[in-house]
Amino acid sequence: MAVETVTGLAPVEAFALVGVLGVGAQWVAWRLRMPAIVVMLAVGLLVGPVFGLFNPARDIGDMVQPLISMAVAVILFEGGLTLDLHKLGDARKGVMRLVFIGAPLGWFLSSCALHFGAGLGWEASTVFGGILVVTGPTVIAPLLRTAKLSRRPANLLNWEAIVNDPVGALAAVLAFEFVLVGREAESLGGAISVLALGIVVALIVGLVAGVGIARAFRGAWVPEYMKVPVLFVTMLAAFALPDMLLHESGLLAVTVMGLVIANADLPSFVELRRFKEHATILLVSGVFILLAASLDFASLNSLTWRAGLFVALVILVARPLTVLIALMFSGLPTKEKLLIAFTGPRGVVLVAVAGLFGERLAAAGVEDGAVIGPLAFILVMATVVLHGFTLAPFARFLGLAQSGTPGVLLIGGSRFTTALAEALKKADVPVLIADPNHARLVRPRATGIPVFYGDVLSEAAEHSLEILSYQTVVAATENDAYNTLVATDLAPEFGRDQTWQIARHRGEQARHALPTQLGGRPFGAGKTFRELEDLHIGGWRISATALTAEFTFEDWKEGRTGAHLLGYISTDGDVKRVTPDEIEVLFPNRAEARIDDLPEEQRESAREALKRRLTEARRSAARAKISEGVRLIALVPPRSEAEARANADQATDSPKPQGKLP
């Protein structure tokens, strides 16, 4: 039972609460490795109908529906920005089938599930069935990010969700117009004309807006600092104009606009898309909190057992049949068909559009219209929870997702990266060495290390590499500028804490230092490419040593004097680097030795600064990471001077790979 509150929240307080709860739920989900949508739904229900702390209709008022509509438009536009036709690759045929065959078939089967399962009349079933074509990019995107599917099924699910969202909304518009014709005796031809005109206008507006933005940005008609604001207001205008003529047609317009911009090959496209991705995360979080908090338990109490039958029919019958028939004779493997067939989560667009059309049907005299909103929410909750917890295990069972330890992507073939790859491979960590210079891949290929010949930033790499199989990237070529470019470009994909780069030549000098926004986190014990190569020529090697209760970190240090600790493999199998600050704490004697090398007048202040840094809290934090069960990855010196000389002589006699990186 909901707990009634005496007074509501002010609009500013309500907006702040929605933002904090939405983003906070996403962060909690990330920390707990749970599906974000599940946590957001739970939080929205708790603050809304359960405890009554937040009621959108009371605290925000009439702005709720317009806000949700605009948020859905932005979400679909961002989805359109991901629809780069060049990236479809081998998923193109499947996507076309899911859109042109799957959407109409899904409409029909969903309408049947509503009529025979939920017991709705054909009028309400046809309208709501059109909306059920929507699978929801707001849900698919976070699920794909968590499940780490293979490239082709992920592309199929993502494209289907984005393209079918406006298709489902327009299918509902079409069915609704026919319902009005039957009830109000309007001209069938007039209704079809209005519908056709609305769709044509939406297509034209989206096309014109997309082409206009592309030409304006390419022709430098808009300064860089105004590109995002211009893009944003143009998108809102493209949504509002067609919507004035035909409700929900604006969703089609913004999707088309995003599709045009995505395929315009704009130099600034990456920055634009990243901004929209960040905005979409905020909007998805907020909309889910608003929708969950707006739920009325009384409306759910009006549902019967047939609501459960309807949900089961949609998940177990309508969705699988739609996909399997649409993808028949497509050439896709059976495993991929099964994964897509049993993955159909619904999200924000379904709830928002269903609630709108439910109210309109009820106002037009269709009694079943009042049930559409609660049914939509029940379906969303069921599919979000079901797929949120089963997609990743199901995909791993079918062999269509990353399983086991996340891998490391090494950029640059060299003695150092080959030795590091060998050590990680022996520790059962998947590795891949990528290099655009074929000669530099001879050494790792000879040792059995998987390699990729080509530029890791190229479209070929995007199509052929399973990037999601790797959690960490290490830029370690001889070209410092290329390392910085790779690390800067891949950091948003891998996360900045998991994007590493070896030291740049003279990078410690103020004249050559780069801003912190460029490049990756320091890796390689502060050594440059040349220094690392020279160490390996001199007989240094890389080891991965497990710590146990009998063999502690202190024992490891005692037996490896002079070794450079690079990182460690956690008990979960994640590869982590050791930061320079942690090195200072873990090896205090080395820090003291560096101070002794300073001029005498600087030593006292340096010792005081070191003492302030070596606090017990920092010592405990560093030691907690380097504890029993982890494997230390270290650059270890040769066992003897004779071994070092032998290695150096062997390196001198052996032929060196020719060619340089671009």
Side-chain angles (χ1 to χ4, degrees):
M1 179 181 295
V3 179
E4 297 293 334
T5 56
V6 179
T7 58
L9 299 173
V12 173
E13 297 169 347
F15 282 121
L17 179 65
V18 169
V20 170
L21 292 177
V23 176
Q26 294 238 25
W27 181 82
V28 169
W30 169 74
R31 291 290 296 178
L32 300 179
R33 298 189 178 184
M34 292 178 60
I37 306 299
V38 176
V39 180
M40 288 188 288
L41 279 175
V43 170
L45 290 173
L46 288 174
V47 299
V50 175
F51 294 113
L53 301 175
F54 173 52
N55 186 329
R58 177 196 66 198
D59 300 332
I60 300 178
D62 296 336
M63 291 296 295
V64 174
Q65 282 304 324
L67 285 173
I68 292 177
S69 296
M70 287 191 291
V72 169
V74 175
I75 291 166
L76 286 185
F77 173 64
E78 193 274 332
L81 285 178
T82 66
L83 300 180
D84 187 345
L85 298 175
H86 301 292
K87 297 179 181 179
L88 259 180
D90 52 0
R92 182 184 304 274
K93 187 176 181 180
V95 170
M96 296 300 106
R97 285 173 168 265
L98 288 173
V99 173
F100 292 107
I101 300 176
L105 183 59
W107 185 3
F108 170 73
L109 293 176
S110 298
S111 299
C112 291
L114 284 162
H115 180 70
F116 296 109
L120 300 187
W122 280 113
E123 292 175 324
S125 297
T126 305
V127 175
F128 191 17
I131 306 171
L132 289 180
V133 170
V134 171
T135 53
T138 58
V139 185
I140 285 290
L143 287 182
L144 295 180
R145 193 179 300 120
T146 303
K148 297 185 177 181
L149 298 187
S150 300
R151 184 181 61 259
R152 185 165 56 193
N155 279 344
L156 283 167
L157 287 169
N158 194 42
W159 275 71
E160 180 203 17
I162 295 168
V163 175
N164 276 354
D165 257 20
V167 170
L170 289 173
V173 172
L174 176 62
F176 181 71
E177 292 294 332
F178 274 99
V179 169
L180 290 185
V181 168
R183 287 187 166 264
E184 301 178 6
E186 293 181 356
S187 165
L188 178 61
I192 295 177
S193 299
V194 171
L195 181 67
L197 180 61
I199 293 175
V200 170
V201 169
L203 290 172
I204 293 175
V205 169
L207 183 63
V208 170
V211 172
I213 286 290
R215 289 189 176 180
F217 286 6
R218 187 178 289 111
W221 300 345
V222 180
E224 287 294 327
Y225 73 93
M226 286 192 65
K227 283 185 175 179
V228 169
V230 168
L231 180 70
F232 190 75
V233 298
T234 304
M235 181 273 301
L236 291 180
F239 168 69
L241 289 176
D243 217 54
M244 294 169 60
L245 180 63
L246 182 68
H247 284 294
E248 311 312 320
S249 62
L251 300 179
L252 177 62
V254 295
T255 305
V256 171
M257 177 183 170
L259 178 63
V260 171
I261 295 174
N263 291 274
D265 197 23
L266 295 176
S268 57
F269 174 72
V270 174
E271 291 83 357
L272 298 176
R273 193 180 69 182
R274 284 176 183 165
F275 170 80
K276 302 303 293 182
E277 287 174 349
H278 297 159
T280 299
I281 290 175
L282 291 171
L283 292 172
V284 168
S285 305
V287 170
F288 263 96
I289 297 296
L290 286 173
L291 292 174
S294 300
L295 181 64
D296 183 4
F297 281 162
S299 63
L300 294 181
N301 291 334
S302 65
L303 299 178
T304 65
W305 61 271
R306 302 194 68 164
L309 177 60
F310 151 70
V311 171
L313 287 174
V314 169
I315 295 175
L316 300 177
V317 180
R319 171 66 180 176
L321 279 179
T322 297
V323 173
L324 294 176
I325 293 175
L327 296 180
M328 191 179 296
F329 308 117
S330 64
L332 288 175
T334 302
K335 289 183 177 181
E336 294 186 14
K337 293 179 184 177
L338 289 174
L339 179 67
I340 298 167
F342 288 97
T343 305
R346 270 65 174 185
V348 169
V349 178
L350 174 68
V351 176
V353 178
L356 175 64
F357 278 100
E359 293 176 0
R360 291 183 181 177
L361 285 173
V366 180
E367 294 182 1
D368 294 336
V371 188
I372 288 180
L375 281 176
F377 203 89
I378 288 292
L379 180 63
V380 167
M381 286 198 297
T383 56
V384 161
V385 173
L386 175 66
H387 297 303
F389 287 107
T390 62
L391 177 58
F394 186 45
R396 286 195 293 268
F397 172 76
L398 294 175
L400 297 174
Q402 172 190 320
S403 59
T405 305
V408 177
L409 177 60
L410 300 166
I411 313 301
S414 64
R415 289 179 174 84
F416 170 69
T417 54
T418 302
L420 179 58
E422 287 183 288
L424 293 174
K425 187 178 178 181
K426 289 179 182 177
D428 297 324
V429 176
V431 291
L432 177 74
I433 295 180
D435 200 311
N437 188 321
H438 191 274
R440 294 195 179 278
L441 295 176
V442 172
R443 182 179 288 105
R445 187 183 287 113
T447 58
I449 302 298
V451 299
F452 172 77
Y453 169 51
D455 196 318
V456 75
L457 302 180
S458 66
E459 288 191 7
E462 190 171 352
H463 295 326
S464 58
L465 282 182
E466 294 287 356
I467 290 293
L468 291 177
S469 299
Y470 304 96
Q471 187 181 60
T472 304
V473 59
V474 181
T477 73
E478 68 174 357
N479 189 321
D480 289 336
Y482 182 70
N483 290 340
T484 302
L485 175 65
V486 168
T488 303
D489 188 81
L490 295 182
E493 184 78 24
F494 286 84
R496 297 194 181 279
D497 286 340
Q498 293 301 119
T499 305
W500 307 338
Q501 179 180 349
I502 60 173
R504 297 168 55 250
H505 180 57
R506 295 188 296 183
E508 73 284 354
Q509 300 178 13
R511 184 181 294 274
H512 301 282
L514 294 177
T516 55
Q517 306 94 292
L518 298 178
R521 296 290 188 262
F523 181 74
K527 306 295 183 183
T528 65
F529 177 88
R530 189 68 266 159
E531 290 170 337
L532 289 170
E533 288 294 279
D534 289 342
L535 288 178
H536 280 279
I537 291 173
W540 287 62
R541 57 192 174 85
I542 293 181
S543 66
T545 309
L547 297 182
T548 64
E550 294 76 25
F551 185 76
T552 65
F553 178 62
E554 295 302 323
D555 296 327
W556 180 90
K557 284 200 300 183
E558 184 178 348
R560 288 165 178 77
T561 305
H564 295 293
L565 184 60
L566 304 177
Y568 61 93
I569 304 172
S570 70
T571 53
D572 296 330
D574 296 336
V575 179
K576 302 291 184 182
R577 72 187 181 99
V578 180
T579 67
D581 289 343
E582 290 168 343
I583 290 292
E584 192 176 64
V585 173
L586 294 170
F587 298 90
N589 292 337
R590 295 185 185 179
E592 290 281 358
R594 285 196 298 271
I595 292 176
D596 292 337
D597 293 335
L598 295 174
E600 186 174 353
E601 62 274 11
Q602 299 179 13
R603 294 175 190 171
E604 188 62 32
S605 60
R607 286 195 177 91
E608 289 297 325
L610 177 63
K611 186 177 180 180
R612 288 193 298 269
R613 292 195 299 271
L614 296 182
T615 62
E616 189 57 39
R618 292 185 62 189
R619 292 175 191 268
S620 300
R623 290 167 183 164
K625 295 180 179 180
I626 311 299
S627 58
E628 180 183 346
V630 307
R631 296 188 181 188
L632 302 183
I633 305 170
L635 190 58
V636 181
R639 297 183 180 89
S640 66
E641 292 186 7
E643 181 182 350
R645 285 195 299 270
N647 280 283
D649 293 340
Q650 183 180 5
T652 303
D653 296 337
S654 61
K656 297 181 180 179
Q658 300 299 315
K660 293 187 176 181
L661 291 169

